[in-house]
Amino acid sequence: MALGSGLQTGLQTGLQTGEIVRDGLSRQVADQLRAAIRDGQLKVDDRLPNEEDLAKHFGVSRPTIREALKILAAQNLIRSRRGPAGGTFVSRPDPQGLGEAIADAATLLVGTGDIDVEEMLTARAETEAVCCRLAAAARTEEDLAALRAEVALQRDESLRDEDFCASDVRFHRALVQATHNQPLKLMMYAVIESFIPVTNMLIYREHERRRSVDLHDQITEAIAAGEGARAAELMGRHLEGMRDLLNATLDRRAAGRTG
Amino acid sequence: MALGSGLQTGLQTGLQTGEIVRDGLSRQVADQLRAAIRDGQLKVDDRLPNEEDLAKHFGVSRPTIREALKILAAQNLIRSRRGPAGGTFVSRPDPQGLGEAIADAATLLVGTGDIDVEEMLTARAETEAVCCRLAAAARTEEDLAALRAEVALQRDESLRDEDFCASDVRFHRALVQATHNQPLKLMMYAVIESFIPVTNMLIYREHERRRSVDLHDQITEAIAAGEGARAAELMGRHLEGMRDLLNATLDRRAAGRTG
DNA sequence: ATTAATCTATTTGTCAAACCTTTTAATCTT
DNA sequence: AAGATTAAAAGGTTTGACAAATAGATTAAT
C-alpha cells in the first residue's frame, strides 16, 4: 500500500495545551504505524515510504522517524535494508522471534527473583502435561525420532553438564513441536527457553541425570504408544523429583549460609 | 552502578573488514546494554549515564545512542524522564508489559491467518482447564468475588456486545489470577489478551451469550467448591460449544462467498 | 556478443551541533 | 516560613550533512 492514501497523522505536539501526550513524537509515530500494520493497512512485505517521505508525512524530522522505526524493528514488526531496492518492509509476524522475546523477559523475571521456583515448577508440570497428552495424539514419526535422538544423546554419561542441559531443552522443544499446535507452541516458549534453563542450572548433578533420562525415555515411548495420560503422569513424576531435588539444594544453600 | 566501571564497548564499526556486523551501531549498543542488564551489571532502578556520556563511552553519536535506548524502551527494559533528577533508568521487569507485547504479536499472528482457529481453541481448552484446577485449589474470597462480579455483569441482557466481551476477558483474567501462579499468568497473557478477543469477535450473538454466562457461573461455583476437575470439565464444554459456533460461522461465511 | 568491471542513484546508517521542553531544586521575595 | 522565580540539567527534536551498501545501468575488455 502507498500509505499516503488513508493514514492520518494527528500527532500531539508539545504546542497543544491540556492534552495528555503519551510520550514523545517517535512513540506516537511508532504507535500509528503499528496500528496501520495491525489493521491491515500495511500488509506483510509492504514497503514503507522512505524515511524522508515518512518524515514529511508525519511532519517530524528524520531522526524522529528513525527512532520510531527502531521501536517497531525492536518488536520485529519491520525490517530495513539499505540500497536502491532497500527500504523498510513489514515483517511477517514470527512465532520464533516472539518466543525469544518472551524468553528474554521471562529470564529477567526469574533473575530478579520475581518468580517463585515452586510456582514455576507447578506451571511447568501442568503445561507440559498438556503437551504430553496432545503430543500423544498428534505426533508424527519425525517427532518421535527427534525425541529419541535426544534421549540417546542424554544416555551418554561423558556428556558435559551444559550439553546435557541443552539437550534437555531440545527434548522439551521437540515435545511441544509434537503437539503440532502453533498457539500452544507460542505459549510454551516462555517455559522452554527460560524456565527450563533456570531449573536445570539449579540442580543437575551426575547421578541425577540418569533418572531424568529414564523418565524422558519413558515419556517418549508413552507418546509413541499414544498413551497421553500415562505420558502426562510420567512428566508429573519427573517434575516432582525435580521439586524435591530443588528443595534439597535450596536447603543446603540456606544451611551453608547460616552455619 | 556507575557503568563506566566494567562495561566493554567493542563495537564493530564499518571500518573493520571481514567481520559480520549484526546490523547497525544502535543495535550493537542496545545489545550490550541489554546484556549488562541481564547479567546484573545494571540493576533495577539503576540510572544510566546521560545520553551524551553514553555517546562518549561507546564512541558513537547521540542520535545513535537514542536509537539504542528506544530499542530497549520498546522492550520495556528502561524508562526515561526529563529534568535534572531525570535520566534513563532500568525498569523492573513487568509481566503486565510483557503480556501486552505478547498479546500484540499474537493478535498479528491470528490476523494474518498464521494461527489456525481450531488449534487456538484446543490450546485455550487445555490451558484454561489447567487454570480451573489450580484456581480451585488456590482461590481466595477476593478471587471468587471478582469472578462472581463478572458473571453478574454478564447476566445483564442490555449489555452491549463489546462490553460483554470485555467482561469475558476480565472473567478469564480473574480466573488466571485465582491460580496465584505468576509464571502461569505470564504464559496465559497471550491467551487472555489475544486469543479470547479473537474468538469473541467471531461469534457472539445475543442468545449465545446466555449459554456462556451460565457456564461462567457454573465454573465459578465449581471453583468456589474446590472442585477443580469439574470446573475444568465445564470449561472444556464451554469451549466445545464455541468451537461448534465458530465452525458454523465460518461455514456460513464460506457459503456467502461462493454462493 | 558476452561477460566482467565500473559507475551511479537511491536508501538506510551515522554524525555534529544546535535549540526546545520539561522538571527539579536552589534562590529570592514576601 | 511559605510561596514565587529562576537557573541548570536532562531528555526531546530539528537541521543538514556525509558514509556505506546495493541494485541496476553503463562501459570496457575479451
Side-chain angles (χ1 to χ4, degrees), chain A residues 73-76 93-109 169 173 185-195 197, chain B residues 22 27 31 34 38 75 77 98 101-102 105 109 186:
Chain A
Q75 298 169 339
N76 280 307
D94 168 25
Q96 183 78 25
L98 174 58
E100 280 163 20
I102 297 174
D104 267 12
T107 302
L108 266 180
L109 282 172
V169 169
R173 210 175 350 223
K185 211 167 148 184
L186 194 63
M187 298 178 57
M188 292 301 293
Y189 261 109
V191 173
I192 295 171
E193 307 296 342
S194 159
F195 298 162
Chain B
R22 219 190 103 199
R27 192 81 141 242
D31 286 345
R34 191 185 303 105
R38 193 193 49 222
Q75 297 168 341
L77 292 174
L98 172 60
I102 297 174
L109 281 172
L186 195 62

Side-chain angles (χ1 to χ4, degrees), chain A residues 119 122, chain B residues 130-148 171-181 184 217-229 231:
Chain A
E119 292 182 7
T122 301
Chain B
V130 167
C131 292
C132 283
R133 283 193 297 272
L134 294 182
R139 89 287 184 288
T140 64
E141 286 304 318
E142 288 83 43
D143 297 325
L144 290 177
L147 288 169
R148 284 173 178 147
F171 177 85
H172 289 272
R173 214 180 338 229
L175 176 63
V176 177
Q177 172 59 40
T179 67
H180 293 278
N181 186 308
L184 189 66
D217 190 9
Q218 293 175 53
I219 289 169
T220 301
E221 296 316 316
I223 287 173
E227 297 171 1

